[in-house]
Amino acid sequence: MSWQVTHHMQYPKGTTKIYSYFESRGGKYPETVFFGLQYILKRWLVGSVVTKEMIQEAKEFYNLHFGEDVFNEEGWTYILKKHGGRIPIKIRAVPEGTVVPVKNVLFTVENTDPEVPWITNYFETLLVQVWYPMTVATNSRAQKEVIANNMTETSDTLEKLPFMLHDFGFRGVTSVEVSICKT
C-alpha cells in the first residue's frame, strides 16, 4: 500500500478524473464467477470512514515509514470536510454470482469529485481482496459442473445436485472473516 500513498504526487497537474477497471486476465478456467465485492464495500467503504483521528494517525505512520512527509493530509482533510468522511468514488460492477468470460471488465472505479482524482486507485489493495472469494466461487462452480456431468452419466435426475458439494472449509481457514468471504 506504500506506493498508493504517493499517488497524489504522481498524477499530472490538472488531472480531475481517474477511471480504473478490474478484470480476470485468465487462469485455469475460461470464465470467472464474480463474487465478494459487496462484502468488501459494506465492511470497509460504506458511510463515513475517514475521521480526523485516522488522518493524524496515518500522517504519523507514513512519516515514520517514508522518513519524510508524503502523506496527503490536505486531500484526506478535504474528503472529511467536503464529504463527511465518505469516500467520493463510484463503483460499477456486474451482479454478484455472474459468470463472466475472462478478459472482461468485472467492475470499474472512478472518482466523483474532481479535486481528489487520486482516490480512485487508493483503494486498489482493498478492492483486489475480491480475488479470494472469486477464486473459491469459480472453483466451486467448476467442481459442481464435474459432479453434474457425472450425475448425468450415472443418474436419472440432477435433483440432488444442490446437495452434492459441501463446504467444510471454515475449519481450515485463518479467520472468521476469511470464512465469510468465501462462498
Side-chain angles (χ1 to χ4, degrees):
M1 173 105 186
S2 293
W3 57 278
Q4 290 158 327
V5 174
T6 63
H7 270 182
H8 68 285
M9 299 184 301
Q10 298 175 32
Y11 291 117
K13 292 257 188 247
T15 300
T16 59
K17 187 66 123 182
I18 302 291
Y19 186 87
S20 295
Y21 69 94
F22 184 91
E23 70 170 311
S24 170
R25 295 179 183 161
K28 187 174 181 180
Y29 304 109
E31 301 169 321
T32 300
V33 178
F34 183 67
F35 180 78
L37 182 62
Q38 287 297 308
Y39 170 79
I40 293 168
L41 296 178
K42 290 176 182 177
R43 171 68 176 89
W44 297 105
L45 294 176
V46 169
S48 181
V49 297
V50 178
T51 66
K52 185 177 181 180
E53 294 76 23
M54 292 168 89
I55 294 169
Q56 187 59 40
E57 182 180 342
K59 179 180 178 171
E60 292 170 11
F61 174 82
Y62 287 116
N63 283 348
L64 286 171
H65 179 70
F66 288 104
E68 58 183 307
D69 187 13
V70 297
F71 179 70
N72 191 358
E73 182 179 11
E74 181 181 332
W76 286 105
T77 301
Y78 172 86
I79 290 171
L80 178 61
K81 290 181 179 178
K82 172 83 187 242
H83 298 283
R86 291 175 173 78
I87 305 301
I89 57 175
K90 180 188 294 185
I91 299 175
R92 295 182 182 141
V94 299
E96 299 239 356
T98 301
V99 178
V100 181
V102 298
K103 301 186 187 319
N104 282 284
V105 173
L106 298 168
F107 66 88
T108 62
V109 184
E110 63 185 297
N111 58 298
T112 58
D113 184 328
E115 295 297 317
V116 291
W118 52 268
I119 199 69
T120 299
N121 291 322
Y122 194 88
F123 290 97
E124 178 186 19
T125 301
L126 174 66
L127 294 174
V128 298
Q129 297 308 303
V130 77
W131 277 126
Y132 181 75
M134 283 176 40
T135 299
V136 172
T138 301
N139 282 327
S140 293
R141 178 178 181 270
Q143 292 166 12
K144 196 75 125 184
E145 287 177 339
V146 169
I147 293 169
N149 289 337
N150 287 323
M151 286 182 73
T152 300
E153 292 179 16
T154 61
S155 178
D156 294 334
T157 179
L158 294 177
E159 181 181 336
K160 301 282 186 192
L161 181 61
F163 304 100
M164 294 293 171
L165 181 62
H166 301 286
D167 180 9
F168 296 100
F170 187 14
R171 295 182 284 182
V173 297
T174 57
S175 69
V176 172
E177 185 171 40
V178 169
S179 74
I180 293 168
C181 291
K182 64 186 201 59
T183 56

